[in-house]
Amino acid sequence: PAQRKFFEIDHNYGTDIALYQGGYGSGKTFSGSLLGILLALRYPGIRGLVGAQTYALLRDTTLQTYFEHIERMGLNVKYLKTEAKLIFDNGSEILFRHLEEDDKLKSLNLGFVEIEEMSDVPYATFKMLLGRLRQKKRPEWKNFRYRLFGHTNPESARGWIYENFVRNPKANYRRILAPTTENRYLPKEYIETMRESYNEDYFRMYV
Protein backbone atom coordinates (compact mmCIF):
# COMPACT_ATOMS: atom_id res chain seq x y z
CA PRO A 1 0.00 0.00 0.00
CA ALA A 2 2.77 2.48 0.83
CA GLN A 3 4.47 1.86 -2.51
CA ARG A 4 1.23 2.60 -4.39
CA LYS A 5 0.93 5.93 -2.57
CA PHE A 6 4.54 6.73 -3.45
CA PHE A 7 4.08 6.06 -7.17
CA GLU A 8 0.66 7.64 -7.67
CA ILE A 9 0.49 11.44 -7.58
CA ASP A 10 -2.20 14.10 -7.38
CA HIS A 11 -2.18 16.10 -10.62
CA ASN A 12 -3.84 19.12 -9.01
CA TYR A 13 -0.49 20.50 -7.85
CA GLY A 14 2.82 21.48 -9.45
CA THR A 15 6.15 19.83 -8.68
CA ASP A 16 5.61 16.65 -6.67
CA ILE A 17 7.91 16.32 -3.66
CA ALA A 18 7.64 12.94 -1.95
CA LEU A 19 9.39 11.27 0.97
CA TYR A 20 9.19 7.48 1.36
CA GLN A 21 10.04 6.90 5.01
CA GLY A 22 10.11 3.33 6.18
CA GLY A 23 11.59 0.71 8.43
CA TYR A 24 14.24 -1.84 7.60
CA GLY A 25 13.24 -3.91 4.57
CA SER A 26 10.30 -1.71 3.60
CA GLY A 27 11.48 -1.32 -0.01
CA LYS A 28 12.82 2.23 0.11
CA THR A 29 15.67 1.90 -2.40
CA PHE A 30 13.68 -0.68 -4.39
CA SER A 31 10.79 1.75 -4.87
CA GLY A 32 12.91 4.83 -5.56
CA SER A 33 15.01 3.16 -8.24
CA LEU A 34 11.98 1.58 -9.89
CA LEU A 35 10.27 4.96 -10.07
CA GLY A 36 13.38 6.49 -11.64
CA ILE A 37 13.41 3.83 -14.37
CA LEU A 38 9.68 4.19 -15.04
CA LEU A 39 10.02 7.95 -15.46
CA ALA A 40 12.93 7.44 -17.88
CA LEU A 41 10.79 5.05 -19.93
CA ARG A 42 7.63 7.16 -19.87
CA TYR A 43 9.24 10.48 -20.83
CA PRO A 44 11.76 10.00 -23.69
CA GLY A 45 14.73 12.31 -23.37
CA ILE A 46 14.22 13.12 -19.70
CA ARG A 47 17.30 13.66 -17.56
CA GLY A 48 17.20 12.48 -13.97
CA LEU A 49 19.67 12.73 -11.13
CA VAL A 50 20.12 10.14 -8.39
CA GLY A 51 22.09 11.51 -5.48
CA ALA A 52 23.38 10.40 -2.09
CA GLN A 53 25.53 12.19 0.42
CA THR A 54 28.46 9.82 -0.28
CA TYR A 55 29.42 8.01 -3.46
CA ALA A 56 29.99 4.76 -1.53
CA LEU A 57 26.31 4.63 -0.56
CA LEU A 58 25.28 5.45 -4.12
CA ARG A 59 27.56 2.78 -5.62
CA ASP A 60 26.91 -0.04 -3.18
CA THR A 61 23.16 0.37 -2.69
CA THR A 62 21.26 2.56 -5.15
CA LEU A 63 23.15 1.85 -8.36
CA GLN A 64 23.08 -1.91 -7.72
CA THR A 65 19.31 -1.79 -7.29
CA TYR A 66 18.98 0.07 -10.62
CA PHE A 67 21.01 -2.68 -12.30
CA GLU A 68 18.78 -5.35 -10.74
CA HIS A 69 15.62 -3.68 -12.04
CA ILE A 70 17.11 -3.24 -15.52
CA GLU A 71 18.09 -6.91 -15.70
CA ARG A 72 14.74 -8.09 -14.31
CA MET A 73 12.83 -5.95 -16.81
CA GLY A 74 14.99 -7.02 -19.77
CA LEU A 75 15.87 -3.45 -20.74
CA ASN A 76 18.66 -2.47 -23.10
CA VAL A 77 20.32 0.29 -21.09
CA LYS A 78 23.94 1.40 -21.36
CA TYR A 79 25.96 2.37 -18.30
CA LEU A 80 28.87 4.74 -18.84
CA LYS A 81 31.07 4.10 -15.83
CA THR A 82 33.41 7.06 -16.40
CA GLU A 83 30.41 9.42 -16.38
CA ALA A 84 28.32 7.42 -13.88
CA LYS A 85 25.34 7.62 -16.20
CA LEU A 86 22.62 5.31 -17.53
CA ILE A 87 21.53 5.90 -21.13
CA PHE A 88 18.19 4.50 -22.35
CA ASP A 89 17.27 3.67 -25.95
CA ASN A 90 14.75 6.53 -25.99
CA GLY A 91 17.38 9.13 -25.14
CA SER A 92 16.62 9.38 -21.42
CA GLU A 93 19.56 9.68 -19.02
CA ILE A 94 19.98 9.07 -15.31
CA LEU A 95 23.04 10.57 -13.62
CA PHE A 96 24.50 9.23 -10.35
CA ARG A 97 26.23 11.82 -8.19
CA HIS A 98 27.38 12.19 -4.60
CA LEU A 99 26.18 15.35 -2.91
CA GLU A 100 29.18 16.25 -0.77
CA GLU A 101 30.16 18.93 -3.32
CA ASP A 102 26.72 20.11 -4.39
CA ASP A 103 28.05 23.29 -6.01
CA LYS A 104 29.15 21.11 -8.95
CA LEU A 105 25.51 20.32 -9.74
CA LYS A 106 24.24 23.88 -10.12
CA SER A 107 24.39 23.92 -13.92
CA LEU A 108 22.16 20.86 -14.41
CA ASN A 109 18.68 21.00 -15.95
CA LEU A 110 16.70 18.03 -14.66
CA GLY A 111 13.28 16.43 -15.02
CA PHE A 112 13.44 14.47 -11.78
CA VAL A 113 15.67 14.01 -8.73
CA GLU A 114 15.96 11.01 -6.43
CA ILE A 115 17.74 11.30 -3.06
CA GLU A 116 19.01 8.21 -1.25
CA GLU A 117 18.89 8.47 2.56
CA MET A 118 17.44 11.97 2.45
CA SER A 119 17.96 12.52 6.18
CA ASP A 120 21.74 12.49 5.57
CA VAL A 121 21.46 15.40 3.12
CA PRO A 122 21.61 19.02 4.35
CA TYR A 123 18.53 21.17 3.82
CA ALA A 124 20.56 23.58 1.67
CA THR A 125 21.39 20.73 -0.73
CA PHE A 126 17.73 19.69 -0.89
CA LYS A 127 16.71 23.24 -1.84
CA MET A 128 19.49 23.48 -4.41
CA LEU A 129 18.28 20.24 -6.05
CA LEU A 130 14.73 21.61 -6.19
CA GLY A 131 16.14 24.49 -8.19
CA ARG A 132 17.57 22.07 -10.77
CA LEU A 133 14.10 20.86 -11.82
CA ARG A 134 13.96 23.01 -14.92
CA GLN A 135 14.49 20.72 -17.94
CA LYS A 136 12.39 21.96 -20.85
CA LYS A 137 9.21 19.92 -21.22
CA ARG A 138 8.59 18.12 -24.49
CA PRO A 139 5.21 18.25 -26.26
CA GLU A 140 4.92 14.44 -26.16
CA TRP A 141 5.31 14.29 -22.38
CA LYS A 142 1.65 13.87 -21.44
CA ASN A 143 0.67 14.64 -17.83
CA PHE A 144 4.29 15.42 -17.01
CA ARG A 145 5.24 16.85 -13.63
CA TYR A 146 8.65 17.56 -12.21
CA ARG A 147 9.33 15.19 -9.35
CA LEU A 148 11.75 15.15 -6.44
CA PHE A 149 11.53 12.01 -4.34
CA GLY A 150 13.65 10.65 -1.53
CA HIS A 151 13.69 7.80 0.92
CA THR A 152 15.07 7.33 4.38
CA ASN A 153 14.71 5.50 7.67
CA PRO A 154 12.65 7.00 10.50
CA GLU A 155 14.43 9.83 12.33
CA SER A 156 15.04 9.84 16.06
CA ALA A 157 15.65 13.62 16.04
CA ARG A 158 13.42 16.25 14.47
CA GLY A 159 15.27 18.10 11.72
CA TRP A 160 14.40 19.78 8.43
CA ILE A 161 12.54 16.71 7.15
CA TYR A 162 10.16 16.81 10.12
CA GLU A 163 9.66 20.54 9.68
CA ASN A 164 8.85 20.32 5.96
CA PHE A 165 7.04 16.98 5.69
CA VAL A 166 5.28 16.68 9.06
CA ARG A 167 4.98 19.92 10.99
CA ASN A 168 4.41 22.41 8.19
CA PRO A 169 4.14 20.68 4.79
CA LYS A 170 3.15 22.55 1.63
CA ALA A 171 0.34 21.18 -0.52
CA ASN A 172 2.69 19.37 -2.91
CA TYR A 173 4.83 17.75 -0.17
CA ARG A 174 3.95 14.13 0.60
CA ARG A 175 5.29 11.78 3.30
CA ILE A 176 4.54 8.09 2.86
CA LEU A 177 5.08 5.90 5.92
CA ALA A 178 6.06 2.34 5.04
CA PRO A 179 6.06 -0.20 7.89
CA THR A 180 8.37 -3.15 7.37
CA THR A 181 5.41 -5.41 8.13
CA GLU A 182 3.67 -4.34 4.88
CA ASN A 183 6.37 -5.96 2.75
CA ARG A 184 4.95 -9.39 2.01
CA TYR A 185 8.08 -10.44 0.09
CA LEU A 186 10.41 -10.55 3.08
CA PRO A 187 11.46 -13.95 4.50
CA LYS A 188 8.92 -15.27 6.99
CA GLU A 189 11.31 -15.10 9.92
CA TYR A 190 12.58 -11.57 9.18
CA ILE A 191 10.07 -9.67 11.33
CA GLU A 192 10.20 -12.09 14.23
CA THR A 193 14.00 -12.08 14.27
CA MET A 194 13.99 -8.30 14.65
CA ARG A 195 11.22 -8.44 17.26
CA GLU A 196 13.38 -10.75 19.35
CA SER A 197 16.56 -8.71 18.80
CA TYR A 198 15.32 -5.14 19.42
CA ASN A 199 13.74 -3.49 22.43
CA GLU A 200 10.13 -2.36 22.11
CA ASP A 201 10.84 1.31 21.30
CA TYR A 202 13.49 0.51 18.68
CA PHE A 203 11.24 -2.12 17.08
CA ARG A 204 8.33 0.33 16.91
CA MET A 205 10.46 2.99 15.20
CA TYR A 206 12.43 0.88 12.71
CA VAL A 207 10.01 -1.95 11.96
Side-chain angles (χ1 to χ4, degrees), residues 16-59:
D16 182 71
I17 303 170
L19 170 66
Y20 188 95
Q21 192 169 37
Y24 300 144
S26 59
K28 297 183 292 295
T29 302
F30 177 96
S31 300
S33 53
L34 181 57
L35 178 54
I37 289 173
L38 294 178
L39 292 173
L41 294 174
R42 182 172 183 178
Y43 301 110
I46 197 172
R47 171 177 269 196
L49 171 74
V50 180
Q53 190 62 16
T54 66
Y55 187 73
L57 175 62
L58 200 63
R59 179 196 62 215

Side-chain angles (χ1 to χ4, degrees), residues 76-88:
N76 182 24
V77 179
K78 296 178 182 178
Y79 178 64
L80 301 183
K81 187 174 182 179
T82 55
E83 300 179 41
K85 176 169 65 175
L86 291 172
I87 301 178
F88 291 72

